[in-house]
Amino acid sequence: MTMFDKLTQERRARLTAERQLDHRTRELDAALAQLDTVRRELHRMRQQGHTAAIAEAQRSAEVQSRAREDTETAQRSAVMAERRLWDSVNTIRDGFAVFNRNHELVIANQAYLGVFSGYPEVQPGIPYRRLVEILAYDGRAQLDGVAADAWIAAMLARWDSDRIDPMILTFSRGDTARIYDRRARGGDIVSLVRDITESQRHAAELEDARRRAEAANRAKSAFLANMSHEIRTPMNGVVGMAELLCDTALSDEQHLYAETIRSSGEALLNIINDVLDFSKIEADKLTLHPEPFDLERCIHEVLILLQAGARNRSIDLLMDYDLFLPTRFLADPGRMRQVMTNLIGNAVKFTEKGHVLIRVVGIEASDGQQQLNVTVEDTGIGIAPENIDTIFGEFAQVEDQANRKFEGTGLGLAITRRLIELMGGQIWVESELGKGTCFGFSLTLPLAEDAPQVPAAPIRLHHVLVADDHLINRTILQRQLEAQGLAVTLCASGVEAFEAIDRPGANFDLLITDHEMPGLDGLDLTARLRTAGHRLPVILLSSSPAVLRDHPAIGELRAILQKPLLRHDLVRQLQRLSNPDGADETAMPAAGPRAPRATGGRRMRILTAEDNRTNRLVFSKMVEGLAIDLSFAEDGQQAIEAFRQTKPDLIFMDISMPEMDGRAATRAIRQMPGGAQLPIIALTAHAMAGDQEDILAAGLDHVLTKPLKKPLLLDMIRRYQPDGVCAVDAVLDQTG
Ligand code: ADP
């Protein structure tokens, strides 16, 4: 090998080596570049990773601090709330404590702990028993005379009961508390001790004020009762004399004066009665005195009394008493009459024309009791809707021009409502202004056991003609007659009735006709029938039989019946007509105003005991014209003597008389032969509750209150007219 070759070889080898170096360098550069990238990447990554961790750490630090703040806030407000609650519980004057199921104190406020001051042991954990012992043994509570041990036992037993009743405890330091203990969940007991010292003091003051007011009220009632008596007695003379004066021959002017004295006197008496009753109701002094009485008759009597006023204004007073309803009940007759007088009186007062209709219906409520519904319906001025609600209030008069011309105290309905409520009933009113008003009440009353057994005398009539221009009256009569098994034909006028009877083939057994009818009235109808040769018996219905004396047809009547009609009177007349001999098969002494009458016989003997000369005069004038023998006694002793000598059929007995009063005289007469059954009727000016009961307890049969009312007086006389004496009533004598 040549040097060249060697050189060439070497150069080649160098070139190869250089190439290899170059290659290696490039490889190294590439690797370095890659390393740099990785490093940069690593750096970047490292940088990134660090920020996230810091952010994460920051976030969690924030959350933690917020949570800490929240917790602190919550804790602060919880502490505040608890403090506030507890401060409040501590500031109230009422004691508050909680005990656990073992009856150990858990917590209590200052007011609760206050009573145990000086006892450091009184702290949470102390047993209830120990607290009670401190109260009892240390005299911190008033035990009202109970021994300490017994009191403690009772207090502990109280907590053992299922429901712990509230109790009142007075502490020796002077305050009084009502203690309420309640079982809470888990057997805890929460105790609330309410301070009632103030309210008790207030109640005591009220009680004291009430006692004083009651005493004043009693004094007022007594004063009113005395005044009432003092005023009534002379008023009796005024009203009675004025009434008699009205019946004498007077000029129109004189009659007006006398009538004004009479009506003013009556109005004054009504006011006295209202005020007296109202004050009694106010003072809760009004008591009821139930006794057997006849409801139908009671309403009838009220109607008779109010009839005069109604007649002046051509109002018809009608009564529709349920046919199948008994009439005798147990109730306070005086109060019942007062209710009816007020309602019917108002109806008459506020009605110019039309009618006032009293309806009584009833259903059997339970054994021996009837539920009654009584309505008084009128066709008067009515009451505006805005006044309806206040109408039963005191002094509630509808203040308008249409109304104020009527006198009254505005107490009547308030009294009526209270009376009905006292009897356990309810009262209501419906009204339409300008059309009319209907007052109604419902009551449950026991039936009177003394209800007389009415012997069922046969009625042998078949067909009755009724003539009355008033539709409601015709309907009532029709129902009453049909209930007796009679065929009834109704006519609305006298002319119509005449034609019906005069028609060939007419076969009526009886005509019942109203007196006052337009055109042909009842008496003219009777006269025309007789002239035409019809002998059909006629019964006349009249609201004022006494004024019929002079009509020539009077003698043709079989009977005159007082309107509104008592069913009982009607049935009796039908029975009498059915008996051809005219003898009454159902004769009963107390059978009603139109008792059977004989033409001959002695007169009824009436004894009246009355110390006051004016009252004797009033009495004798009121019965003037009756076919009776009247004698007077001036005190109780004289009455007994007169009873022995004259053997009267009926005695009217004044109650307050000097020497021996009416009660004592009655008791004595009841012991004497023939005295036990004798009807004795009290005359009294007393109006206080209890008077009536006293009087009846002394053995009198009825009470008539002064001033006497002629119709009621006559009703009593007729009612007790015995069989076999000549008729007391002059008018009826002519018609019999
Ligand atoms: P007063 O003594 O005034 O009649 P009441 O208490 O009996 O007192 O009646 C109160 C008022 O109710 C009457 O003044 C009248 O305005 C009204 N009132 C009562 N009944 C009727 C009636 N039937 N029709 C119209 N208004 C009546």
Side-chain angles (χ1 to χ4, degrees):
M1 163 147 29
T2 67
M3 189 56 162
F4 181 76
D5 284 342
K6 263 199 173 174
L7 279 170
T8 306
Q9 207 177 15
E10 229 176 79
R11 205 186 65 218
R12 243 188 239 134
R14 204 184 63 234
L15 278 173
T16 307
E18 276 178 352
R19 255 198 322 267
Q20 273 184 342
L21 180 65
D22 193 43
H23 183 71
R24 288 280 178 263
T25 306
R26 267 201 313 274
E27 269 186 357
L28 186 64
D29 280 351
L32 279 173
Q34 204 172 1
L35 189 65
D36 202 39
T37 312
V38 168
R39 195 176 45 85
R40 269 203 311 276
E41 179 64 15
L42 264 176
H43 181 72
R44 196 186 55 81
M45 278 174 69
R46 205 167 47 238
Q47 280 219 316
Q48 253 183 359
H50 186 69
T51 319
I54 289 175
E56 186 55 39
Q58 274 175 345
R59 244 197 325 271
S60 81
E62 274 169 25
V63 168
Q64 275 179 13
S65 99
R66 241 198 331 267
R68 208 169 28 246
E69 271 173 33
D70 283 355
T71 316
E72 277 171 11
T73 315
Q75 245 167 7
R76 258 198 315 276
S77 33
V79 169
M80 288 249 296
E82 192 185 328
R83 192 179 306 149
R84 196 173 284 153
L85 177 69
W86 202 236
D87 280 353
S88 319
V89 171
N90 265 331
T91 51
I92 54 172
R93 295 195 55 185
D94 300 326
F96 175 79
V98 180
F99 292 81
N100 65 17
R101 60 186 314 159
N102 300 324
H103 296 180
E104 292 156 350
L105 182 66
V106 177
I107 199 165
N109 71 353
Q110 304 276 322
Y112 193 95
L113 298 174
V115 73
F116 302 103
S117 64
Y119 278 87
E121 61 180 301
V122 177
Q123 285 194 19
I126 189 169
Y128 173 68
R129 162 186 284 276
R130 178 67 193 131
L131 296 180
V132 175
E133 284 172 357
I134 295 175
L135 289 178
Y137 294 139
D138 197 20
R140 301 217 168 185
Q142 292 183 4
L143 310 189
D144 294 330
V146 181
D149 287 339
W151 188 80
I152 294 168
M155 288 295 278
L156 297 177
R158 184 172 162 267
W159 269 26
D160 289 337
S161 53
D162 281 347
R163 236 191 98 245
I164 311 175
D165 288 331
M167 63 168 288
I168 291 187
L169 189 58
T170 299
F171 299 104
S172 313
R173 62 190 180 189
D175 54 333
T176 301
R178 177 175 278 119
I179 303 177
Y180 303 90
D181 297 305
R182 290 265 189 293
R183 248 180 261 289
R185 218 175 303 163
D188 283 3
I189 290 189
V190 179
S191 188
L192 182 67
V193 183
R194 294 221 55 187
D195 187 342
I196 55 167
T197 318
E198 269 302 296
S199 57
Q200 278 218 328
R201 194 179 52 77
H202 196 59
E205 278 174 10
L206 279 180
E207 174 61 21
D208 189 43
R210 191 180 63 83
R211 259 200 303 272
R212 269 180 289 142
E214 271 185 5
N217 221 339
R218 268 196 301 278
K220 183 186 79 180
S221 295
F223 171 76
L224 278 170
N226 285 339
M227 281 305 286
S228 134
H229 184 73
E230 295 304 317
I231 296 173
R232 277 163 163 278
T233 307
M235 281 311 288
N236 182 27
V238 174
V239 174
M241 281 308 195
E243 203 164 303
L244 295 174
L245 192 60
C246 288
D247 282 347
T248 59
L250 296 177
S251 71
D252 285 351
E253 198 179 0
Q254 287 166 332
H255 191 270
L256 178 70
Y257 296 161
E259 179 52 36
T260 309
I261 296 173
R262 192 198 59 76
S263 62
S264 309
E266 285 210 331
L268 179 58
L269 280 169
N270 284 338
I271 293 171
I272 294 171
N273 287 344
D274 273 3
V275 171
L276 187 67
D277 274 345
F278 190 71
S279 74
K280 275 190 283 186
I281 290 178
E282 279 290 271
D284 275 340
K285 286 287 175 301
L286 199 135
T287 37
L288 298 174
H289 304 284
E291 59 173 281
F293 86 112
D294 190 310
L295 177 63
E296 188 186 16
R297 188 172 287 279
C298 161
I299 299 175
H300 195 253
E301 285 173 359
V302 172
L303 287 173
I304 290 175
L305 281 182
L306 293 170
Q307 210 142 37
R311 230 181 353 254
N312 294 341
R313 269 177 282 141
S314 69
I315 313 169
D316 281 306
L317 292 189
L318 312 169
M319 170 154 75
D320 186 5
Y321 194 100
D322 186 347
L323 281 172
F324 301 103
L325 185 68
T327 64
R328 289 186 65 79
F329 298 97
L330 269 186
D332 186 322
R335 296 305 176 186
M336 221 37 216
R337 174 190 296 248
Q338 188 175 1
V339 166
M340 294 316 305
T341 308
N342 180 255
L343 295 182
I344 304 175
N346 276 347
V348 170
K349 184 158 77 171
F350 295 110
T351 304
E352 272 306 318
K353 61 176 194 299
H355 69 255
V356 171
L357 168 63
I358 294 88
R359 245 185 238 286
V360 187
V361 293
I363 48 170
E364 203 168 325
S366 57
D367 206 21
Q369 306 248 350
Q370 286 276 335
Q371 201 211 316
L372 300 172
N373 247 43
V374 181
T375 53
V376 178
E377 168 196 305
D378 67 50
T379 53
I381 61 172
I383 304 167
E386 62 269 24
N387 295 324
I388 282 271
D389 288 342
T390 52
I391 211 79
F392 291 108
E394 293 84 44
F395 307 105
Q397 293 179 320
V398 175
E399 284 299 337
D400 68 20
Q401 303 241 306
N403 200 332
R404 275 313 101 222
K405 62 184 175 194
F406 305 104
E407 56 195 20
T409 55
L411 284 176
L413 285 176
I415 295 171
T416 298
R417 189 199 56 175
R418 301 284 276 270
L419 288 177
I420 292 286
E421 286 172 356
L422 214 58
M423 297 181 201
Q426 280 178 317
I427 186 163
W428 66 89
V429 58
E430 288 163 10
S431 185
E432 201 177 331
L433 203 58
K435 290 255 167 68
T437 306
C438 180
F439 280 91
F441 63 86
S442 60
L443 262 190
T444 302
L445 292 183
L447 283 171
E449 278 164 6
D450 65 344
Q453 293 297 309
V454 179
I459 294 176
R460 299 196 195 91
L461 307 176
H462 301 290
H463 196 170
V464 180
L465 182 78
V466 170
D468 198 317
D469 56 320
H470 211 289
L471 172 67
I472 301 179
N473 250 344
R474 285 201 299 276
T475 319
I476 297 173
L477 267 170
Q478 179 182 21
R479 284 219 309 268
Q480 292 185 335
L481 291 166
E482 283 177 352
Q484 302 298 331
L486 301 174
V488 182
T489 298
L490 301 175
C491 294
S493 72
V495 175
E496 210 183 299
F498 180 82
E499 285 166 2
I501 295 168
D502 206 31
R503 204 168 290 145
N507 63 341
F508 299 109
D509 303 312
L510 170 67
L511 165 67
I512 299 181
T513 175
D514 187 24
H515 175 222
E516 283 144 10
M517 291 187 289
L520 191 62
D521 75 18
L523 282 173
D524 293 341
L525 168 64
T526 309
R528 195 192 283 189
L529 284 173
R530 295 295 179 255
T531 314
H534 295 290
R535 305 312 313 159
L536 179 70
V538 179
I539 292 179
L540 187 80
L541 309 180
S542 164
S543 43
S544 47
V547 303
L548 302 178
R549 289 171 193 254
D550 303 331
H551 198 284
I554 287 279
E556 298 298 330
L557 298 173
R558 276 310 279 258
I560 303 173
L561 294 185
Q562 169 89 54
K563 273 199 335 184
L565 198 54
L566 271 178
R567 272 180 314 164
H568 184 243
D569 287 352
L570 178 68
V571 171
R572 284 178 56 78
Q573 288 301 335
L574 297 176
Q575 286 165 340
R576 292 184 62 220
L577 277 164
S578 303
N579 184 341
D581 305 333
D584 193 333
E585 297 174 32
T586 65
M588 285 189 300
R594 301 288 175 263
R597 60 203 81 89
T599 39
R602 66 170 176 87
R603 290 172 167 229
M604 181 179 181
R605 286 190 291 265
I606 296 180
L607 169 65
T608 298
E610 168 66 77
D611 61 319
N612 183 298
R613 206 166 61 87
T614 313
N615 288 347
R616 285 201 297 274
L617 186 58
V618 171
F619 191 99
S620 59
K621 290 291 176 187
M622 279 189 176
V623 298
E624 203 171 58
L626 293 188
I628 56 169
D629 282 336
L630 176 66
S631 53
F632 282 107
E634 293 178 19
D635 61 39
Q637 201 56 54
Q638 280 191 19
I640 295 172
E641 200 42 49
F643 165 73
R644 209 191 315 272
Q645 283 175 12
T646 61
K647 290 279 172 253
D649 302 304
L650 172 64
I651 299 184
F652 288 95
M653 182 76 80
D654 184 25
I655 292 300
S656 29
M657 289 186 291
E659 311 294 336
M660 181 189 258
D661 78 0
R663 293 186 188 86
T666 303
R667 276 191 218 102
I669 290 173
R670 290 289 183 227
Q671 303 300 319
M672 295 162 66
Q677 267 76 47
L678 181 70
I680 306 183
I681 293 157
L683 307 178
T684 172
H686 288 248
M688 283 302 277
D691 288 345
Q692 180 132 346
E693 194 181 46
D694 266 16
I695 292 170
L696 296 174
L700 289 109
D701 295 294
H702 295 277
V703 178
L704 288 183
T705 313
K706 296 179 192 175
L708 292 181
K709 300 273 186 273
K710 192 168 167 178
L712 293 184
L713 184 62
L714 299 191
D715 182 58
M716 281 294 165
I717 295 176
R718 288 178 189 130
R719 190 185 298 186
Y720 287 109
Q721 175 182 336
D723 284 341
V725 303
C726 76
V728 294
D729 204 303
V731 175
L732 289 169
D733 269 346
Q734 296 171 34
T735 66

